[in-house]
């Protein structure tokens, strides 16, 4: 119990620190913070657009009040999900832009991450269970080979073969132009149709790490005394494989998985770029291009919070699954 | 339970077993060579041998738990007539645990860390639902009662139990389905002598009441000889002797058996005679033709180098003996050679005759206390590791600090070397209080007090050569340069018996055997020209034959170089061999001191008595067994 309390406390503390740093850093710069930020984004030589400075000021809050008041306003705005106006997509608010992009990324990347983890771990465990057989060689050599290929190359090959040559799937985009985004079955089917290629690319590359990691962990736990004793006890194969070998081999992977889920909120720049997918990665890319500081700031904050949250959940999960961890800190 | 008429039918028969480890990168290594033996119902069979002789491999083969790289190249393994290597997988699974169960070495690692004790035990019942009614009488609770463990521990996880408790749980688990055979692989290695004793006596009572047969694998000679009805001695993958324990102890046995037994003695005896076999077992990559032991055997003749060494089958009053040695049962001579021919087997080691109080005092420890305080949340606990300890170390003399694990031995050693500060009390070396030393002076001090660790494998940097390791203190502390360093390195290597030095200077630690490594560690300690050496269990990780050798080196060097040594150990026999004085430590306090002989023979304190009584003494416990076997029949088998 103490373990969970401590982890919760730690989470709240780091969350507060991250949020506060996000507030303080732009304000700690000497001179007019807004001007400095715009100058930095624009490059030294360029003329600074007064419009930009105004937008940043708006985001930072009224500079005349005390820092304390600004901080209070900032927290208040955060709680209400108010990140100010986007400069690049004026007059839309930052919140609006993120709300547009986030669902695409969450479903595409989030779902593929989960499938990749489950499938990768399963394949890795299977390879380890059948270690030194043909199945094992096929799985581990195959994934080692794929892991040497760069992601964009795999993605481009998929587009070339499945979209350009065979015309089975569209080259890019999240939905067809003619369909109006709405919650109709037609739209959902169209979304899924468009998501197949990027999802396939993500699945291939995403699961490799889990396959190789799980195989290594599991080969180790299969050789361990507790697994050998489980065999000696005459337990059924399945029980030995899952409850003894796989369960312990899985623990280190969980943390990695939770953290990778946290990263989903930042989107994946490359995949969304290649498949022109309107998710968070693309939004961020465009925000950098447009020097859309309010939007960038919000994306960074969301990503940080998501990663922290994922870490926290991973800690809790591992605590539930592994009594040794609970004990260490209680 | 075996039916009465099957008493003489073996339950396990191993026939001509050969096992190799295969590897893509080098030739196969045959680690089990032509092994055959039988185990009868209710029999307690010991399997002895040095590290690497193949004991665990044989044990794993019987459990059918060999790693995928092991190949059974020939032979049969029959359990009540069924070949375990060929029966269907499901039959094998059902047979497991209900017929043959096991306890591994150090159950630290053999219990699943994320399951409760109860869950792991109930797994056995779940897997063997079909087991016959008699086997289901046992419950998890009953089995814990058998090993005196409170039921509340059922809901604990393994890491919440002490090492001894885990081993008891493992023992309880092994009898859940009342098996007929249990294989123990070093079940008490790493446990404290006192804990070890209590677990073994529990095993013995269980075995007597439940009547299962035992294969007990160990390198601990005293324990095996005391517990077992019959012992098998392994050497380089072969079983060279298979005899009733009483016969093995009789003084007429395979020369290797004699050699092993020679390194064992009871520290309480008035006169101690310790012998060891020089040399190491052959590499399994190139086992010599003929008798594998021939290179180390003082009795070897030309005959021993012939390709086939016959196995003599001899009946003795205590049972049947199989001995693979040309001295036994050849057709022209008596089945048993005269006991006197074994007198010269092995090499005698000088037992130090303790002399108390000689030599000037180089270190005085007074009223030493060390308290560790730990804070857990709001709870503040104090652990008194050392309480009011005082003693003196003298030039050229060895003081043994003896006690169970956790008694504070290592803490005292660490304070002496200046690694740890005492909570109160003083350690005075050459008129200076060690506790008051600051950085620079402390560094100087540390060169005067050298530490030798338990584990020679961790004490040396794997990446630096032997010569480099020894030259460091020469350069740092003694400021030697150039050719002086080289000469001194060679001289010290010679002192610890690593000759010629040119052969060892440039080797890396992994190219040395365990005994050689420990010699290098000793050489490194000597290089600093220390006044004091603290040796913390320097031989406990080594094989018996190497132990005697290292003790010999330590003994000679401390005395000839006038070094004062604090010898920390839990092993009273080694203390007897080397120490002038013994300090018995119990829960941080010294409970008994005196000259070695006095402490061991006129023991006063109960704790020392407990330690002494935990030492197995096979000769004593078998005193009433006839020790001179009269051979009744013999045959020689090629
Ligand atoms: N998995 C393996 N692959 C290759 N060689 C192995 C393997 N396991 C053991 N060996 C080798 O087989 C030989 C016998 O090993 P084994 O573990 O049976 O010895 P042991 O008598 O039990 O030793 P110890 O007393 O140290 O436990 C050794 O030379 C060892 O190096
Ligand atoms: S066969 Fe020869 S070398 Fe081997 S143990 Fe017997 S006497 Fe010694
Ligand atoms: Mg072993």
């Amino acid at each position: 119990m103490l373990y969970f309390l401590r982890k919760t406390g730690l989470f709240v503390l780091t969350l507060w620190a991250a949020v506060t740093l996000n507030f303080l850093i732009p304000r700690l710069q000497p001179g007019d913070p807004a001007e400095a930020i715009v100058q930095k984004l624009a490059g030294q030589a360029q003329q600074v657009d007064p419009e930009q400075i105004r937008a940043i000021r708006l985001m930072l809050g009224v500079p005349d009040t005390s820092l304390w008041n600004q901080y209070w306003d900032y927290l208040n705005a955060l709680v209400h999900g108010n990140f100010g106006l986007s400069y690049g997509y004026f007059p839309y608010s930052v919140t609006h832009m993120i709300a547009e992009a986030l669902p695409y990324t969450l479903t595409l990347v989030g779902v593929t991450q989960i499938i990749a983890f489950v499938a990768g771990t399963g394949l890795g465990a299977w390879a380890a269970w059948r270690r030194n057989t043909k199945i094992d060689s096929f799985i581990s050599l195959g994934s080692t080979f794929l892991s040497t290929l760069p992601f964009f190359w795999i993605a481009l090959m998929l587009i070339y073969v499945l979209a350009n040559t065979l015309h089975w799937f569209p080259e890019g985009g999240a939905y067809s132009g003619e369909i109006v985004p709405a919650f109709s079955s037609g739209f959902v089917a169209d979304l899924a149709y468009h998501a197949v290629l990027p999802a396939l690319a993500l699945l291939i590359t995403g699961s490799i790490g889990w396959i190789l990691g799980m195989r290594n962990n599991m080969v180790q736990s299969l050789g361990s005394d507790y697994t050998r004793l489980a065999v000696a006890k005459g337990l059924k194969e399945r029980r030995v494989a899952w409850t003894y070998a796989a369960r312990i081999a899985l623990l280190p992977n969980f943390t990695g998985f939770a953290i990778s889920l946290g990263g989903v909120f930042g989107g994946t720049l490359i995949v969304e770029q290649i498949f022109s997918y309107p998710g968070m990665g693309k939004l961020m890319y465009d925000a950098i291009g447009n020097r859309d500081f309010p939007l960038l700031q919000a994306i960074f904050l969301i990503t940080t919070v998501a990663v922290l949250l994922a870490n926290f959940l991973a800690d809790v999960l591992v605590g539930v699954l592994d009594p040794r961890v609970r004990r260490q800190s209680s | 339970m075996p039916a009465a008429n099957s008493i003489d039918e073996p339950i396990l028969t191993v026939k001509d077993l050969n096992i190799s480890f295969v590897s893509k990168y080098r030739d196969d290594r045959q680690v089990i060579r032509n092994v055959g033996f039988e185990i009868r119902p209710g029999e307690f069979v010991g399997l002895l041998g040095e590290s690497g002789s193949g004991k665990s491999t044989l044990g794993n083969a019987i459990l059918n738990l060999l790693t995928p790289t092991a190949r059974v190249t020939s032979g049969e393994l029959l359990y009540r007539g069924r070949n375990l290597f060929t029966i269907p997988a499901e039959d094998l699974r059902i047979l497991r645990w209900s017929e043959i169960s096991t306890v591994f070495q150090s159950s630290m690692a053999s219990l699943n860390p994320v399951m409760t004790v109860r869950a792991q035990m109930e797994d056995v019942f779940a897997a063997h639902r079909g087991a016959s009614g008699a086997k289901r009488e046992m419950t998890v609770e009953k089995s814990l009662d058998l090993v005196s463990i409170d039921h509340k521990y059922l809901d604990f996880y393994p890491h919440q139990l002490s090492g001894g408790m885990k081993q008891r749980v493992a023992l309880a688990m092994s009898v859940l389905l009342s098996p007929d055979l249990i294989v123990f692989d070093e079940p008490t290695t790493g446990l404290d002598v006192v804990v070890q004793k209590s677990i073994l006596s529990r095993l013995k009572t269980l075995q007597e009441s439940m009547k299962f047969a035992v294969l007990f694998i160990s390198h601990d000679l005293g324990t095996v000889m005391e517990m077992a009805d019959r012992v098998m001695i392994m050497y380089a993958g072969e079983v060279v002797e298979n005899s009733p324990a009483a016969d093995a102890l009789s003084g007429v046995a395979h020369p290797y058996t004699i050699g092993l037994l020679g390194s064992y003695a009871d520290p309480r005896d008035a006169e101690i005679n310790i012998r060891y076999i020089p040399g190491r077992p052959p590499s399994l990559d190139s086992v010599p033709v003929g008798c594998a032991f021939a290179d180390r055997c003082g009795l070897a003749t030309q005959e021993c180098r012939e390709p086939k060494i016959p196995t003599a089958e001899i009946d003795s009053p205590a049972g049947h003996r199989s001995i693979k040695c040309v001295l036994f049962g050849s057709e022209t001579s008596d089945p048993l050679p005269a006991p006197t021919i074994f007198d010269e087997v092995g090499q005698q080691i000088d037992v130090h005759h303790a002399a108390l109080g000689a030599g000037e005092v180089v270190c005085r420890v007074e009223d030493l206390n060390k308290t560790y305080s730990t804070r857990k949340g709001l709870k503040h606990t104090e652990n008194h590791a050392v309480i009011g300890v005082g003693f003196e170390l003298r030039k050229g003399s060895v003081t043994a600090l003896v006690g169970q694990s956790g008694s504070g031995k290592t803490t005292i050693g660490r304070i002496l070397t200046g690694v740890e500060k005492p909570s109160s009390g003083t350690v005075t070396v050459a008129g200076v209080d060690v506790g008051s030393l600051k950085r620079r002076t402390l560094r100087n001090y540390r060169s005067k007090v050298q530490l030798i660790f338990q584990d020679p494998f961790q004490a040396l940097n794997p990446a630096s050569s032997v010569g480099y390791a020894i030259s460091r203190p020469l350069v740092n502390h003694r400021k030697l340069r150039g050719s002086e360093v080289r000469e001194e390195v060679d001289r010290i290597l010679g002192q610890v018996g690593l000759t010629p030095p040119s052969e060892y200077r440039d080797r890396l630690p992994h190219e040395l055997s365990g005994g050689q490594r420990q010699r290098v560690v000793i050489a490194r300690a000597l290089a600093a020209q220390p006044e004091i050496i603290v040796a913390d269990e320097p031989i406990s990780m080594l094989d018996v034959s190497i132990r005697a050798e290292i003790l010999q080196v330590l003994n000679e060097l401390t005395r000839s170089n006038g070094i004062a040594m604090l010898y920390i150990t839990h092993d009273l026999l080694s203390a007897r061999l080397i120490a002038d004085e013994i300090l018995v430590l119990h829960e941080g306090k010294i409970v008994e001191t005196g000259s070695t002989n006095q402490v061991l023979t006129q023991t006063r304190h109960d704790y020392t008595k407990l330690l002494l009584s935990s030492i197995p003494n096979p000769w004593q416990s078998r005193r009433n067994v006839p020790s001179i076997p009269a051979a009744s029949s013999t045959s020689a088998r090629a």
Side-chain angles (χ1 to χ4, degrees), chain A residues 131-132 225-226 228-229 231-236 239 243-244 247-248 251 321-324 326-327 330, chain B residues 60 65 68 93 96-97 102 104-105 109-115 120 123-124 127-128 157 159-160 173:
Chain A
R131 62 193 178 285
N132 303 326
D225 276 358
Y226 51 77
R228 291 180 345 112
L229 193 75
V231 176
K233 285 201 287 198
L235 304 191
K236 300 223 166 73
R239 180 98 183 140
T243 318
Y244 286 78
R247 186 170 162 195
I248 292 163
L251 290 173
L321 292 172
D322 189 347
R324 290 167 300 180
R326 282 203 297 274
R327 151 93 170 196
S330 65
Chain B
N60 287 336
L65 281 182
R93 184 186 77 71
R96 281 183 160 145
W97 220 256
T102 181
F104 286 160
Q105 170 173 1
S110 66
L111 297 175
N112 186 330
V114 300
M115 287 170 80
Q120 306 198 34
D123 247 5
V124 170
H128 295 277
Y157 290 95
H159 67 263
Q160 296 167 307
M173 189 140 74

Side-chain angles (χ1 to χ4, degrees), chain A residues 222-294:
Chain A
L222 278 171
S224 71
D225 276 358
Y226 51 77
T227 312
R228 291 180 345 112
L229 193 75
V231 176
K233 285 201 287 198
L235 304 191
K236 300 223 166 73
E237 272 209 351
R238 273 209 142 114
R239 180 98 183 140
V240 175
W242 289 113
T243 318
Y244 286 78
R247 186 170 162 195
I248 292 163
L250 201 57
L251 290 173
N253 275 14
F254 259 124
T255 320
F257 173 57
I259 291 168
S260 78
L261 271 190
V264 166
F265 286 78
T268 48
L269 252 165
I270 303 177
V271 82
E272 293 182 8
Q273 205 54 38
I274 295 178
F275 294 95
S276 1
Y277 208 75
M280 290 290 281
K282 191 154 183 305
L283 189 67
M284 182 159 76
Y285 182 83
D286 292 344
I288 293 171
N290 295 337
R291 304 190 186 110
D292 191 343
F293 193 75

Side-chain angles (χ1 to χ4, degrees), chain B residues 358-489:
Chain B
E360 87 189 69
V361 174
V362 292
C363 170
R364 179 169 283 125
V365 175
E366 281 164 310
D367 196 26
L368 196 67
N369 287 285
K370 177 76 194 181
T371 306
Y372 292 103
S373 34
T374 43
R375 191 180 285 282
K376 278 181 190 165
L378 299 176
K379 249 192 300 175
H380 178 88
T381 49
E382 289 205 329
N383 174 11
H384 301 276
V386 178
I387 306 163
V389 163
F391 59 88
E392 288 169 348
L393 298 181
R394 288 161 199 279
K395 206 174 159 85
S397 124
V398 177
T399 305
L401 185 59
V402 179
Q404 240 174 304
S405 74
S407 59
K409 298 182 304 244
T410 300
T411 310
I412 293 178
R414 289 168 62 87
I415 292 174
L416 221 60
T417 46
V419 180
E420 193 107 45
K421 294 247 181 250
S423 305
S424 72
T426 53
V427 176
T428 322
V429 175
V432 184
D433 178 13
V434 177
S436 69
L437 295 178
K438 295 283 175 299
R439 259 194 212 138
R440 261 195 76 89
T441 43
L442 190 62
R443 239 192 84 198
N444 255 332
Y445 171 77
R446 283 199 190 134
S447 72
K448 285 196 211 135
V449 182
Q450 288 288 317
L451 188 63
I452 296 173
F453 294 106
Q454 181 169 14
D455 189 352
F457 296 81
Q458 281 173 17
L460 294 171
N461 179 348
S464 47
S465 71
V466 167
Y468 183 79
I470 299 173
S471 72
R472 290 322 294 158
L474 298 177
V475 175
N476 291 344
H477 296 309
R478 287 168 59 189
K479 313 284 178 230
L480 298 186
R481 292 288 172 265
S483 64
E484 290 171 337
V485 175
R486 205 183 168 79
E487 280 162 25
E488 188 63 10
V489 167

Side-chain angles (χ1 to χ4, degrees), chain A residues 197-214:
Chain A
L197 276 195
L200 208 56
L202 282 174
L203 270 181
I204 291 174
T205 49
S207 56
I208 285 170
W210 304 127
I211 294 178
L212 294 176
M214 183 64 183

Side-chain angles (χ1 to χ4, degrees), chain B residues 48 225 231-235 238-241 256-257 260:
Chain B
L48 269 172
M225 288 292 181
V231 291
M232 300 197 287
I233 315 282
M234 271 197 107
Y235 187 76
E238 277 178 310
V239 173
V240 294
E241 167 147 20
Y256 182 60
T257 313
L260 279 183

